[in-house]
PDB file of all heavy atoms in Angstrom:
ATOM      1  N   SER T 217      57.502-222.593 136.255  1.00 54.00           N
ATOM      2  CA  SER T 217      58.693-222.220 137.071  1.00 54.00           C
ATOM      3  C   SER T 217      59.789-221.463 136.300  1.00 54.00           C
ATOM      4  O   SER T 217      60.730-221.053 136.879  1.00 54.00           O
ATOM      5  CB  SER T 217      59.252-223.433 137.716  1.00 54.00           C
ATOM      6  OG  SER T 217      59.773-224.367 136.708  1.00 54.00           O
ATOM      7  N   GLY T 218      59.595-221.365 135.014  1.00 51.00           N
ATOM      8  CA  GLY T 218      60.660-220.681 134.177  1.00 51.00           C
ATOM      9  C   GLY T 218      60.355-219.273 133.846  1.00 51.00           C
ATOM     10  O   GLY T 218      59.598-218.582 134.517  1.00 51.00           O
ATOM     11  N   ASP T 219      60.924-218.877 132.748  1.00 50.00           N
ATOM     12  CA  ASP T 219      60.848-217.412 132.311  1.00 50.00           C
ATOM     13  C   ASP T 219      59.729-217.208 131.340  1.00 50.00           C
ATOM     14  O   ASP T 219      59.473-216.033 130.943  1.00 50.00           O
ATOM     15  CB  ASP T 219      62.156-216.985 131.727  1.00 50.00           C
ATOM     16  CG  ASP T 219      63.321-217.144 132.724  1.00 50.00           C
ATOM     17  OD1 ASP T 219      63.056-216.835 133.927  1.00 50.00           O
ATOM     18  OD2 ASP T 219      64.422-217.536 132.342  1.00 50.00           O
ATOM     19  N   VAL T 220      59.106-218.245 130.796  1.00 50.00           N
ATOM     20  CA  VAL T 220      58.045-218.070 129.838  1.00 50.00           C
ATOM     21  C   VAL T 220      56.732-218.658 130.355  1.00 50.00           C
ATOM     22  O   VAL T 220      56.717-219.757 130.924  1.00 50.00           O
ATOM     23  CB  VAL T 220      58.465-218.830 128.537  1.00 50.00           C
ATOM     24  CG1 VAL T 220      57.336-218.696 127.479  1.00 50.00           C
ATOM     25  CG2 VAL T 220      59.760-218.318 128.014  1.00 50.00           C
ATOM     26  N   ASP T 221      55.657-217.944 130.227  1.00 58.00           N
ATOM     27  CA  ASP T 221      54.354-218.412 130.821  1.00 58.00           C
ATOM     28  C   ASP T 221      53.627-219.229 129.815  1.00 58.00           C
ATOM     29  O   ASP T 221      52.978-218.752 128.940  1.00 58.00           O
ATOM     30  CB  ASP T 221      53.510-217.175 131.190  1.00 58.00           C
ATOM     31  CG  ASP T 221      52.272-217.599 131.947  1.00 58.00           C
ATOM     32  OD1 ASP T 221      52.049-218.835 132.087  1.00 58.00           O
ATOM     33  OD2 ASP T 221      51.487-216.705 132.362  1.00 58.00           O
ATOM     34  N   LEU T 222      53.737-220.537 129.912  1.00 69.00           N
ATOM     35  CA  LEU T 222      53.108-221.471 129.045  1.00 69.00           C
ATOM     36  C   LEU T 222      52.185-222.426 129.816  1.00 69.00           C
ATOM     37  O   LEU T 222      51.602-223.349 129.221  1.00 69.00           O
ATOM     38  CB  LEU T 222      54.118-222.314 128.265  1.00 69.00           C
ATOM     39  CG  LEU T 222      55.064-221.571 127.355  1.00 69.00           C
ATOM     40  CD1 LEU T 222      56.149-222.477 126.842  1.00 69.00           C
ATOM     41  CD2 LEU T 222      54.312-221.008 126.149  1.00 69.00           C
ATOM     42  N   ALA T 223      52.020-222.214 131.089  1.00 81.00           N
ATOM     43  CA  ALA T 223      51.279-223.230 131.958  1.00 81.00           C
ATOM     44  C   ALA T 223      49.858-223.297 131.549  1.00 81.00           C
ATOM     45  O   ALA T 223      49.320-224.429 131.413  1.00 81.00           O
ATOM     46  CB  ALA T 223      51.444-222.831 133.419  1.00 81.00           C
ATOM     47  N   ALA T 224      49.180-222.184 131.368  1.00 82.00           N
ATOM     48  CA  ALA T 224      47.719-222.256 130.993  1.00 82.00           C
ATOM     49  C   ALA T 224      47.515-222.948 129.685  1.00 82.00           C
ATOM     50  O   ALA T 224      46.531-223.687 129.441  1.00 82.00           O
ATOM     51  CB  ALA T 224      47.090-220.800 131.045  1.00 82.00           C
ATOM     52  N   GLU T 225      48.418-222.668 128.720  1.00 78.00           N
ATOM     53  CA  GLU T 225      48.270-223.320 127.404  1.00 78.00           C
ATOM     54  C   GLU T 225      48.508-224.813 127.545  1.00 78.00           C
ATOM     55  O   GLU T 225      47.781-225.612 126.891  1.00 78.00           O
ATOM     56  CB  GLU T 225      49.311-222.717 126.427  1.00 78.00           C
ATOM     57  CG  GLU T 225      49.456-223.414 125.089  1.00 78.00           C
ATOM     58  CD  GLU T 225      48.254-223.232 124.189  1.00 78.00           C
ATOM     59  OE1 GLU T 225      47.234-222.624 124.595  1.00 78.00           O
ATOM     60  OE2 GLU T 225      48.344-223.666 123.029  1.00 78.00           O
ATOM     61  N   ALA T 226      49.454-225.276 128.365  1.00 83.00           N
ATOM     62  CA  ALA T 226      49.680-226.697 128.572  1.00 83.00           C
ATOM     63  C   ALA T 226      48.438-227.326 129.195  1.00 83.00           C
ATOM     64  O   ALA T 226      48.041-228.444 128.805  1.00 83.00           O
ATOM     65  CB  ALA T 226      50.884-226.937 129.424  1.00 83.00           C
ATOM     66  N   ILE T 227      47.800-226.668 130.136  1.00 91.00           N
ATOM     67  CA  ILE T 227      46.604-227.228 130.768  1.00 91.00           C
ATOM     68  C   ILE T 227      45.443-227.289 129.756  1.00 91.00           C
ATOM     69  O   ILE T 227      44.755-228.279 129.670  1.00 91.00           O
ATOM     70  CB  ILE T 227      46.213-226.316 131.962  1.00 91.00           C
ATOM     71  CG1 ILE T 227      47.207-226.487 133.091  1.00 91.00           C
ATOM     72  CG2 ILE T 227      44.762-226.697 132.480  1.00 91.00           C
ATOM     73  CD1 ILE T 227      46.951-225.536 134.302  1.00 91.00           C
ATOM     74  N   ARG T 228      45.332-226.251 128.907  1.00 87.00           N
ATOM     75  CA  ARG T 228      44.273-226.282 127.905  1.00 87.00           C
ATOM     76  C   ARG T 228      44.453-227.481 126.933  1.00 87.00           C
ATOM     77  O   ARG T 228      43.429-228.183 126.705  1.00 87.00           O
ATOM     78  CB  ARG T 228      44.371-224.982 127.068  1.00 87.00           C
ATOM     79  CG  ARG T 228      43.267-224.825 126.035  1.00 87.00           C
ATOM     80  CD  ARG T 228      43.480-223.515 125.265  1.00 87.00           C
ATOM     81  NE  ARG T 228      44.536-223.602 124.343  1.00 87.00           N
ATOM     82  CZ  ARG T 228      44.417-223.995 123.102  1.00 87.00           C
ATOM     83  NH1 ARG T 228      43.283-224.446 122.651  1.00 87.00           N
ATOM     84  NH2 ARG T 228      45.457-224.032 122.271  1.00 87.00           N
ATOM     85  N   LEU T 229      45.611-227.741 126.513  1.00 86.00           N
ATOM     86  CA  LEU T 229      45.900-228.841 125.575  1.00 86.00           C
ATOM     87  C   LEU T 229      45.713-230.199 126.301  1.00 86.00           C
ATOM     88  O   LEU T 229      45.209-231.164 125.669  1.00 86.00           O
ATOM     89  CB  LEU T 229      47.304-228.716 124.997  1.00 86.00           C
ATOM     90  CG  LEU T 229      47.504-227.527 124.094  1.00 86.00           C
ATOM     91  CD1 LEU T 229      48.959-227.403 123.653  1.00 86.00           C
ATOM     92  CD2 LEU T 229      46.626-227.619 122.861  1.00 86.00           C
ATOM     93  N   THR T 230      46.114-230.286 127.560  1.00 92.00           N
ATOM     94  CA  THR T 230      45.947-231.537 128.274  1.00 92.00           C
ATOM     95  C   THR T 230      44.487-231.845 128.520  1.00 92.00           C
ATOM     96  O   THR T 230      44.047-232.969 128.524  1.00 92.00           O
ATOM     97  CB  THR T 230      46.741-231.492 129.599  1.00 92.00           C
ATOM     98  OG1 THR T 230      48.067-231.122 129.293  1.00 92.00           O
ATOM     99  CG2 THR T 230      46.687-232.846 130.267  1.00 92.00           C
ATOM    100  N   ARG T 231      43.665-230.785 128.686  1.00 93.00           N
ATOM    101  CA  ARG T 231      42.216-231.007 128.827  1.00 93.00           C
ATOM    102  C   ARG T 231      41.675-231.572 127.520  1.00 93.00           C
ATOM    103  O   ARG T 231      40.846-232.484 127.517  1.00 93.00           O
ATOM    104  CB  ARG T 231      41.558-229.645 129.153  1.00 93.00           C
ATOM    105  CG  ARG T 231      41.618-229.140 130.574  1.00 93.00           C
ATOM    106  CD  ARG T 231      40.728-227.961 130.781  1.00 93.00           C
ATOM    107  NE  ARG T 231      40.839-227.356 132.085  1.00 93.00           N
ATOM    108  CZ  ARG T 231      40.309-227.807 133.220  1.00 93.00           C
ATOM    109  NH1 ARG T 231      39.629-228.962 133.158  1.00 93.00           N
ATOM    110  NH2 ARG T 231      40.467-227.219 134.316  1.00 93.00           N
ATOM    111  N   GLN T 232      42.129-231.036 126.441  1.00 90.00           N
ATOM    112  CA  GLN T 232      41.683-231.566 125.093  1.00 90.00           C
ATOM    113  C   GLN T 232      42.114-233.022 125.004  1.00 90.00           C
ATOM    114  O   GLN T 232      41.318-233.862 124.510  1.00 90.00           O
ATOM    115  CB  GLN T 232      42.279-230.758 123.972  1.00 90.00           C
ATOM    116  CG  GLN T 232      41.798-229.357 123.829  1.00 90.00           C
ATOM    117  CD  GLN T 232      42.325-228.617 122.630  1.00 90.00           C
ATOM    118  OE1 GLN T 232      43.010-229.217 121.850  1.00 90.00           O
ATOM    119  NE2 GLN T 232      42.010-227.326 122.505  1.00 90.00           N
ATOM    120  N   LEU T 233      43.306-233.320 125.415  1.00 90.00           N
ATOM    121  CA  LEU T 233      43.746-234.698 125.332  1.00 90.00           C
ATOM    122  C   LEU T 233      42.967-235.629 126.195  1.00 90.00           C
ATOM    123  O   LEU T 233      42.586-236.753 125.760  1.00 90.00           O
ATOM    124  CB  LEU T 233      45.270-234.777 125.712  1.00 90.00           C
ATOM    125  CG  LEU T 233      46.006-236.023 125.377  1.00 90.00           C
ATOM    126  CD1 LEU T 233      46.111-236.235 123.853  1.00 90.00           C
ATOM    127  CD2 LEU T 233      47.449-235.943 125.913  1.00 90.00           C
ATOM    128  N   ALA T 234      42.627-235.198 127.405  1.00 93.00           N
ATOM    129  CA  ALA T 234      41.839-236.020 128.282  1.00 93.00           C
ATOM    130  C   ALA T 234      40.429-236.212 127.791  1.00 93.00           C
ATOM    131  O   ALA T 234      39.788-237.245 128.009  1.00 93.00           O
ATOM    132  CB  ALA T 234      41.742-235.318 129.677  1.00 93.00           C
ATOM    133  N   ALA T 235      39.929-235.258 126.991  1.00 90.00           N
ATOM    134  CA  ALA T 235      38.580-235.416 126.403  1.00 90.00           C
ATOM    135  C   ALA T 235      38.562-236.444 125.258  1.00 90.00           C
ATOM    136  O   ALA T 235      37.523-237.021 124.974  1.00 90.00           O
ATOM    137  CB  ALA T 235      38.069-234.026 125.861  1.00 90.00           C
ATOM    138  N   GLN T 236      39.744-236.640 124.667  1.00 86.00           N
ATOM    139  CA  GLN T 236      39.836-237.565 123.536  1.00 86.00           C
ATOM    140  C   GLN T 236      40.315-238.984 123.952  1.00 86.00           C
ATOM    141  O   GLN T 236      40.002-239.932 123.254  1.00 86.00           O
ATOM    142  CB  GLN T 236      40.818-237.008 122.502  1.00 86.00           C
ATOM    143  CG  GLN T 236      40.426-235.681 121.897  1.00 86.00           C
ATOM    144  CD  GLN T 236      41.525-235.155 120.963  1.00 86.00           C
ATOM    145  OE1 GLN T 236      42.195-235.942 120.320  1.00 86.00           O
ATOM    146  NE2 GLN T 236      41.631-233.858 120.845  1.00 86.00           N
ATOM    147  N   PHE T 237      41.028-239.110 125.079  1.00 85.00           N
ATOM    148  CA  PHE T 237      41.596-240.412 125.442  1.00 85.00           C
ATOM    149  C   PHE T 237      41.152-240.736 126.916  1.00 85.00           C
ATOM    150  O   PHE T 237      41.412-239.930 127.821  1.00 85.00           O
ATOM    151  CB  PHE T 237      43.096-240.378 125.358  1.00 85.00           C
ATOM    152  CG  PHE T 237      43.601-240.285 123.955  1.00 85.00           C
ATOM    153  CD1 PHE T 237      43.904-239.022 123.403  1.00 85.00           C
ATOM    154  CD2 PHE T 237      43.867-241.377 123.166  1.00 85.00           C
ATOM    155  CE1 PHE T 237      44.405-238.881 122.140  1.00 85.00           C
ATOM    156  CE2 PHE T 237      44.372-241.268 121.931  1.00 85.00           C
ATOM    157  CZ  PHE T 237      44.620-240.021 121.350  1.00 85.00           C
ATOM    158  N   GLN T 238      40.621-241.947 127.121  1.00 88.00           N
ATOM    159  CA  GLN T 238      40.412-242.439 128.469  1.00 88.00           C
ATOM    160  C   GLN T 238      41.683-243.145 128.901  1.00 88.00           C
ATOM    161  O   GLN T 238      41.799-244.340 128.812  1.00 88.00           O
ATOM    162  CB  GLN T 238      39.210-243.378 128.473  1.00 88.00           C
ATOM    163  CG  GLN T 238      37.863-242.691 128.198  1.00 88.00           C
ATOM    164  CD  GLN T 238      37.529-241.644 129.242  1.00 88.00           C
ATOM    165  OE1 GLN T 238      37.642-241.873 130.442  1.00 88.00           O
ATOM    166  NE2 GLN T 238      37.151-240.463 128.803  1.00 88.00           N
ATOM    167  N   HIS T 239      42.671-242.359 129.322  1.00 92.00           N
ATOM    168  CA  HIS T 239      44.023-242.831 129.602  1.00 92.00           C
ATOM    169  C   HIS T 239      44.376-242.358 130.957  1.00 92.00           C
ATOM    170  O   HIS T 239      44.355-241.174 131.332  1.00 92.00           O
ATOM    171  CB  HIS T 239      44.983-242.266 128.546  1.00 92.00           C
ATOM    172  CG  HIS T 239      46.312-242.861 128.542  1.00 92.00           C
ATOM    173  ND1 HIS T 239      47.194-242.727 129.556  1.00 92.00           N
ATOM    174  CD2 HIS T 239      46.950-243.571 127.526  1.00 92.00           C
ATOM    175  CE1 HIS T 239      48.336-243.344 129.238  1.00 92.00           C
ATOM    176  NE2 HIS T 239      48.241-243.889 128.103  1.00 92.00           N
ATOM    177  N   GLU T 240      44.803-243.310 131.818  1.00 95.00           N
ATOM    178  CA  GLU T 240      45.119-242.971 133.188  1.00 95.00           C
ATOM    179  C   GLU T 240      46.248-241.974 133.350  1.00 95.00           C
ATOM    180  O   GLU T 240      46.114-241.057 134.229  1.00 95.00           O
ATOM    181  CB  GLU T 240      45.530-244.252 133.986  1.00 95.00           C
ATOM    182  CG  GLU T 240      44.437-245.315 134.120  1.00 95.00           C
ATOM    183  CD  GLU T 240      44.260-246.157 132.853  1.00 95.00           C
ATOM    184  OE1 GLU T 240      45.129-246.088 131.966  1.00 95.00           O
ATOM    185  OE2 GLU T 240      43.237-246.893 132.774  1.00 95.00           O
ATOM    186  N   GLU T 241      47.194-242.047 132.562  1.00 96.00           N
ATOM    187  CA  GLU T 241      48.312-241.089 132.647  1.00 96.00           C
ATOM    188  C   GLU T 241      47.954-239.687 132.107  1.00 96.00           C
ATOM    189  O   GLU T 241      48.474-238.687 132.572  1.00 96.00           O
ATOM    190  CB  GLU T 241      49.626-241.616 131.996  1.00 96.00           C
ATOM    191  CG  GLU T 241      50.348-242.624 132.842  1.00 96.00           C
ATOM    192  CD  GLU T 241      50.974-241.932 134.029  1.00 96.00           C
ATOM    193  OE1 GLU T 241      50.222-241.733 135.035  1.00 96.00           O
ATOM    194  OE2 GLU T 241      52.139-241.542 133.962  1.00 96.00           O
ATOM    195  N   VAL T 242      47.036-239.643 131.121  1.00 95.00           N
ATOM    196  CA  VAL T 242      46.550-238.318 130.660  1.00 95.00           C
ATOM    197  C   VAL T 242      45.829-237.642 131.842  1.00 95.00           C
ATOM    198  O   VAL T 242      46.015-236.483 132.143  1.00 95.00           O
ATOM    199  CB  VAL T 242      45.641-238.478 129.479  1.00 95.00           C
ATOM    200  CG1 VAL T 242      45.002-237.106 129.110  1.00 95.00           C
ATOM    201  CG2 VAL T 242      46.417-239.042 128.279  1.00 95.00           C
ATOM    202  N   ALA T 243      44.962-238.440 132.487  1.00 97.00           N
ATOM    203  CA  ALA T 243      44.295-237.921 133.704  1.00 97.00           C
ATOM    204  C   ALA T 243      45.238-237.540 134.774  1.00 97.00           C
ATOM    205  O   ALA T 243      45.093-236.532 135.472  1.00 97.00           O
ATOM    206  CB  ALA T 243      43.254-238.912 134.135  1.00 97.00           C
ATOM    207  N   GLY T 244      46.250-238.354 134.999  1.00 97.00           N
ATOM    208  CA  GLY T 244      47.258-238.103 136.028  1.00 97.00           C
ATOM    209  C   GLY T 244      47.974-236.779 135.735  1.00 97.00           C
ATOM    210  O   GLY T 244      48.218-236.022 136.645  1.00 97.00           O
ATOM    211  N   LEU T 245      48.356-236.583 134.498  1.00 97.00           N
ATOM    212  CA  LEU T 245      49.085-235.355 134.142  1.00 97.00           C
ATOM    213  C   LEU T 245      48.133-234.161 134.319  1.00 97.00           C
ATOM    214  O   LEU T 245      48.596-233.089 134.864  1.00 97.00           O
ATOM    215  CB  LEU T 245      49.589-235.393 132.713  1.00 97.00           C
ATOM    216  CG  LEU T 245      50.319-234.133 132.231  1.00 97.00           C
ATOM    217  CD1 LEU T 245      51.510-233.835 133.157  1.00 97.00           C
ATOM    218  CD2 LEU T 245      50.712-234.277 130.773  1.00 97.00           C
ATOM    219  N   LEU T 246      46.931-234.232 133.873  1.00 97.00           N
ATOM    220  CA  LEU T 246      45.951-233.139 134.073  1.00 97.00           C
ATOM    221  C   LEU T 246      45.801-232.829 135.553  1.00 97.00           C
ATOM    222  O   LEU T 246      45.806-231.633 135.947  1.00 97.00           O
ATOM    223  CB  LEU T 246      44.653-233.421 133.404  1.00 97.00           C
ATOM    224  CG  LEU T 246      43.531-232.354 133.517  1.00 97.00           C
ATOM    225  CD1 LEU T 246      44.051-231.009 132.954  1.00 97.00           C
ATOM    226  CD2 LEU T 246      42.267-232.809 132.802  1.00 97.00           C
ATOM    227  N   ALA T 247      45.605-233.816 136.343  1.00 98.00           N
ATOM    228  CA  ALA T 247      45.490-233.603 137.834  1.00 98.00           C
ATOM    229  C   ALA T 247      46.767-232.937 138.371  1.00 98.00           C
ATOM    230  O   ALA T 247      46.635-232.041 139.196  1.00 98.00           O
ATOM    231  CB  ALA T 247      45.243-234.914 138.465  1.00 98.00           C
ATOM    232  N   LEU T 248      47.913-233.409 137.940  1.00 97.00           N
ATOM    233  CA  LEU T 248      49.159-232.822 138.430  1.00 97.00           C
ATOM    234  C   LEU T 248      49.261-231.332 138.120  1.00 97.00           C
ATOM    235  O   LEU T 248      49.596-230.486 138.949  1.00 97.00           O
ATOM    236  CB  LEU T 248      50.324-233.589 137.838  1.00 97.00           C
ATOM    237  CG  LEU T 248      51.731-233.064 138.140  1.00 97.00           C
ATOM    238  CD1 LEU T 248      52.005-233.128 139.626  1.00 97.00           C
ATOM    239  CD2 LEU T 248      52.797-233.813 137.335  1.00 97.00           C
ATOM    240  N   MET T 249      48.914-231.014 136.846  1.00 96.00           N
ATOM    241  CA  MET T 249      48.956-229.629 136.422  1.00 96.00           C
ATOM    242  C   MET T 249      48.010-228.725 137.230  1.00 96.00           C
ATOM    243  O   MET T 249      48.354-227.638 137.681  1.00 96.00           O
ATOM    244  CB  MET T 249      48.603-229.508 134.955  1.00 96.00           C
ATOM    245  CG  MET T 249      49.721-230.057 133.990  1.00 96.00           C
ATOM    246  SD  MET T 249      49.060-229.911 132.261  1.00 96.00           S
ATOM    247  CE  MET T 249      50.538-230.395 131.374  1.00 96.00           C
TER     248      MET T 249
END
């Protein structure tokens, strides 16, 4: 929503995090994104 396009990079990193951690909130954040 801002002036800098970082959304795809944030999704990429959250995918990596979800692959490393079986964590409900990691999954929740990835789903939200």
